[in-house]
Amino acid sequence: MKLTKTQQDVIKRQGSSLVIGAAGTGKTACLVGRVAYLLKQNTPPEDIYVAAFSLRSLRYLQKQVEDRIGPNVAKSIHIGTFRDFATKAMTQDGNELPKIANYVQIRRLLGSAMRDADFKGSVGEAEHIIRQFKARARRPQENERHYNLLIAFKNFMEQAGLIDRYDLLRQHIVGMANGSFKPCPMKHVLVDNLQDATEIQLYWLFEHLKDGAQISAFGDDDQCIFSIDGAVGADAFSMLQEGFDGDEVQRILLQESFRQPQALAAASSKVVAGLPGRVSKKAKFLNENKADVRTKMFDNIQDEYQWLRHNVTKLSQKYPKCKIGILTRTEYQALRVSHMLEQGAVPHTCLATGIWDTPGAILVLDMLSILLNTATDDQLRNVLTGEGLNLALVDNLFANGLIAKDWLPQGAHLPKGVDLPTTTLQEYSILQRRLVGYYQVMQEKVMSPRDVFKAAAHDLLQHIGPDDRRDGLMAIEKLSSLKGQLREILPNLRKRKPLDMDKIIFVAPIREVRNQEFEFVFMPMSNANVYPYTGSKALGVDEPHEKRMFYLGVTRAKRGLIFTHTGRKSTYVEDITAAFNA
């Protein structure tokens, strides 16, 4: 791509800059180009830090940098999240950090906190609420809604000796202030999608800029899709400039867009045009190709899936060098579409969190490990708490000698000397009889191992929340379709497979495709209750957030945009098609 004069100025600027541009104006190209320019100016690669806010964006950005400067040089550049950088800085002198909670541990502790706080929403909603609290720089107030949920979660985390990514950044900020931790030795920091920074992340960043690091930040507030988790959107731009008296960070606007033709871009911009606090972005659209926007309605979801699989396959055969994106509102929808494509043997890359990385699916795999007598203590702990046993009780059992090895073959007995209240003992005895019964049936081959596993897993899923149960059911479905012995399949399922970014067809939740573009974009399940998403009971509908999410999806399309739906279609779809056809 030939760079414009403004883009060249961004890349070669001496000093800090804040680069704002609409979708398709080349922000990612400028970021990657600036990395290459700094290296050309003999900047040591280890002085360069490139930051992103999500794993998929990070991997995409890393590939772009590697393609530009080569993988060997890219290895010496720090490419990661703020958490990655803080962890490395805090441990460089041999310091030991508290253990950072993983996704499963957070979900397990959240479940306990939800019960303590009598929280009626889903575990997914509870996650967003906790993130909103922890993303802030100021201390929460006792009179704030859901404060009791936050305190319950913090107490459970402390009891478990765990911290999360927000706690880590706070500890690093405090440590840099009192001298107990060193800052990251960055000379140049390039931040992608600054609008998705939280207050605590910005404060961490400012501590490094005080030490003389130069920043090149890139963003578009119209694409702020993590406000539900505490991202500050357009406020990040003003905070960055105000932090330096407004004169040390130059604001640069990219005003030439290369992605969408005029008609499609104008229709897309209608979605976010009236949002409050929006930064005005004028753009000249240079793509002169003809665009196409279509909608198609179906009687049921299975017909929609079949049509989608047939037409995506047909389009990929007609245009074998053009990338095709299938973008969904939620993670689960992307997993369902990916599963549908797998059943039809359609090659693709799925950018959703892998089903085997979701808490519900991990719980199912842990149950299988127990039945096969290959479980670790952590896996047994996960199943026992998943079955509904009190977290403190389970911790006490392990503290008193409970171990996973041969636990089920030996009768799933309690450790010696452990006395339980009568009611709790009855609950444990019921669980003990059930699991031992399943194990004996498997050993005696009264039923096939797969049928025993499915029965045990379905029993287990009755005790967990609807979000995790849904993922667990999909895991059972996928595992049941795999060929081979369960004992041989299990280790491979737990391995994280690298993403193939060279595929033609991509399936992803919308939030995972920033920085990317596709010749054709399919947006299935564009129903009225999906855009805006109405499935949140505790959080309600955040209309600006929903419009930005939808806008992010439609602005990935370079040529064709296809909406499919069952029932009434989203008003967002109606608005964009009306604007395009006007």
Side-chain angles (χ1 to χ4, degrees):
M1 182 181 84
K2 185 178 179 180
L3 297 174
T4 66
K5 183 181 183 306
T6 305
Q7 289 174 326
Q8 292 176 29
D9 290 343
V10 168
I11 290 171
K12 298 179 181 180
R13 173 170 165 72
Q14 301 300 312
S16 294
S17 60
L18 168 61
V19 183
I20 300 174
T25 52
K27 296 182 295 296
T28 303
C30 286
L31 188 153
V32 175
R34 181 152 179 80
V35 171
Y37 175 77
L38 290 172
L39 292 172
K40 191 175 180 180
Q41 299 303 304
N42 297 318
T43 303
E46 59 271 15
D47 289 349
I48 302 172
Y49 284 67
V50 179
F53 293 98
S54 73
L55 180 61
R56 298 295 186 262
S57 292
L58 185 63
R59 290 183 178 178
Y60 179 80
L61 202 56
Q62 188 163 17
K63 186 176 187 305
Q64 295 298 304
V65 172
E66 288 177 354
D67 289 347
R68 179 66 182 271
I69 65 174
N72 291 332
V73 179
K75 286 179 183 177
S76 300
I77 293 173
H78 303 274
I79 305 177
T81 63
F82 289 169
R83 167 191 155 170
D84 297 331
F85 302 153
T87 301
K88 189 171 183 178
M90 295 168 73
T91 56
Q92 63 182 351
D93 292 330
N95 297 314
E96 289 190 9
L97 299 177
K99 187 177 179 183
I100 300 176
N102 61 34
Y103 192 27
V104 173
Q105 290 168 324
I106 287 177
R107 280 287 183 112
R108 187 171 67 216
L109 296 176
L110 260 180
S112 298
M114 289 164 65
R115 287 189 290 273
D116 266 25
D118 194 27
F119 179 75
K120 301 302 184 183
S122 69
V123 67
E125 291 173 301
E127 276 185 302
H128 290 309
I129 290 167
I130 295 298
R131 289 171 184 167
Q132 287 174 9
F133 273 119
K134 292 203 159 198
R136 289 160 22 185
R138 63 187 184 278
R139 186 184 298 275
Q141 301 299 307
E142 291 185 20
N143 61 353
E144 291 188 65
R145 190 183 180 204
H146 302 308
Y147 178 82
N148 58 341
L149 176 65
L150 170 68
I151 295 304
F153 177 69
K154 287 179 69 174
N155 289 339
F156 280 113
M157 288 281 282
E158 289 173 4
Q159 291 169 16
L162 298 171
I163 63 172
D164 59 23
R165 57 185 177 182
Y166 304 100
D167 300 324
L168 182 79
L169 288 183
R170 276 192 172 82
Q171 290 187 15
H172 194 206
I173 291 170
V174 172
M176 287 188 285
N178 64 28
S180 59
F181 289 126
K182 295 179 181 178
C184 300
M186 57 176 66
K187 297 293 189 296
H188 298 272
V189 55
L190 296 87
V191 182
D192 189 34
N193 290 305
L194 183 70
Q195 73 276 355
D196 281 331
T198 64
E199 283 185 356
I200 197 67
Q201 289 170 329
L202 287 170
Y203 274 74
W204 180 89
L205 180 63
F206 295 163
E207 286 298 316
H208 287 84
L209 299 184
K210 288 178 184 177
D211 282 350
Q214 288 187 2
I215 183 172
S216 300
F218 301 81
D220 175 7
D221 56 299
D222 291 336
Q223 298 182 56
C224 177
I225 54 170
F226 291 112
S227 58
I228 195 172
D229 292 326
V232 296
D235 287 346
F237 306 157
S238 55
M239 288 174 69
L240 177 60
Q241 292 194 284
E242 289 168 4
F244 294 88
D245 299 323
D247 58 358
E248 291 191 25
V249 179
Q250 181 182 358
R251 180 179 291 214
I252 302 172
L253 295 179
L254 297 178
Q255 296 183 309
E256 294 173 295
S257 178
F258 303 88
R259 181 178 299 154
Q260 293 189 317
Q262 172 70 39
L264 182 55
S268 300
S269 65
K270 294 286 186 183
V271 178
V272 293
L275 293 182
R278 178 175 180 259
V279 176
S280 178
K281 292 172 285 291
K282 296 180 180 179
K284 178 182 179 182
F285 302 100
L286 304 180
N287 184 344
E288 297 180 354
N289 292 327
K290 185 179 179 181
D292 188 23
V293 177
R294 299 181 187 180
T295 62
K296 189 168 180 62
M297 178 179 173
F298 297 89
D299 292 332
N300 57 70
I301 190 67
Q302 291 305 321
D303 288 348
E304 186 176 4
Y305 281 159
Q306 290 178 11
W307 183 91
L308 182 64
R309 181 168 61 196
H310 173 76
N311 282 272
V312 166
T313 302
K314 184 177 178 181
L315 200 59
S316 66
Q317 293 169 346
K318 184 176 180 179
Y319 301 101
K321 294 184 179 181
C322 292
K323 288 175 64 176
I324 300 171
I326 306 174
L327 311 185
T328 63
R329 171 62 183 80
T330 69
E331 197 96 17
Y332 179 73
Q333 290 170 342
L335 290 172
R336 292 301 313 178
V337 170
S338 178
H339 184 51
M340 174 270 299
L341 293 179
E342 287 174 357
Q343 290 178 321
V346 179
H348 68 283
T349 292
C350 183
L351 300 182
T353 299
I355 184 63
W356 306 115
D357 293 327
T358 62
I362 290 172
L363 191 60
V364 165
L365 293 183
D366 290 348
M367 171 60 82
L368 178 56
S369 295
I370 289 173
L371 292 173
L372 296 175
N373 195 29
T374 61
T376 65
D377 286 352
D378 281 344
Q379 289 163 358
L380 176 57
R381 187 191 305 269
N382 191 34
V383 169
L384 291 178
T385 53
E387 288 278 5
L389 294 184
N390 180 274
L391 180 61
L393 166 65
V394 174
D395 288 340
N396 184 50
L397 294 180
F398 279 94
N400 282 278
L402 181 65
I403 58 174
K405 183 174 173 56
D406 295 328
W407 174 74
L408 197 53
Q410 293 178 1
H413 295 294
L414 292 169
K416 293 181 179 179
V418 173
D419 293 322
L420 299 180
T422 302
T423 303
T424 306
L425 182 60
Q426 290 174 345
E427 292 174 358
Y428 185 88
S429 298
I430 293 171
L431 171 61
Q432 178 187 34
R433 288 195 298 272
R434 180 156 49 83
L435 291 182
V436 170
Y438 281 130
Y439 181 76
Q440 290 175 344
V441 168
M442 183 178 282
Q443 296 303 307
E444 295 168 4
K445 300 182 180 179
V446 177
M447 296 168 56
S448 74
R450 286 176 187 261
D451 288 340
V452 175
F453 156 68
K454 286 167 65 177
H458 277 289
D459 275 346
L460 171 62
L461 295 183
Q462 302 310 308
H463 299 277
I464 63 177
D467 292 349
D468 292 341
R469 186 185 307 129
R470 179 196 61 195
D471 293 335
L473 289 170
M474 182 186 288
I476 294 171
E477 180 183 347
K478 287 177 70 71
L479 205 152
S480 299
S481 67
L482 297 176
K483 297 180 180 179
Q485 298 291 321
L486 291 176
R487 194 176 296 273
E488 297 171 355
I489 292 172
L490 184 56
N492 291 327
L493 294 179
R494 293 192 186 274
K495 292 179 181 177
R496 182 167 290 175
K497 298 178 181 179
L499 294 174
D500 184 354
M501 300 302 291
D502 294 322
K503 283 278 198 307
I504 298 299
I505 301 171
F506 286 77
V507 179
I510 289 173
R511 62 185 177 83
E512 298 294 359
V513 292
R514 276 180 317 181
N515 308 91
Q516 299 194 54
E517 59 185 20
F518 306 94
E519 205 71 28
F520 303 95
V521 166
F522 289 80
M523 293 182 67
M525 294 161 278
S526 293
N527 305 341
N529 63 342
V530 175
Y531 299 104
Y533 183 63
T534 58
S536 178
K537 297 177 182 178
L539 296 175
V541 177
D542 183 343
E543 191 83 16
H545 170 75
E546 293 299 315
K547 286 188 173 183
R548 291 188 187 103
M549 185 76 76
F550 185 77
Y551 172 78
L552 176 61
V554 299
T555 54
R556 301 308 96 190
K558 295 174 64 176
R559 189 193 310 186
L561 183 57
I562 304 97
F563 300 103
T564 62
H565 62 98
T566 57
R568 189 163 65 90
K569 64 174 171 279
S570 166
T571 56
Y572 299 173
V573 175
E574 292 175 351
D575 290 345
I576 198 171
T577 51
F580 180 79
N581 293 321

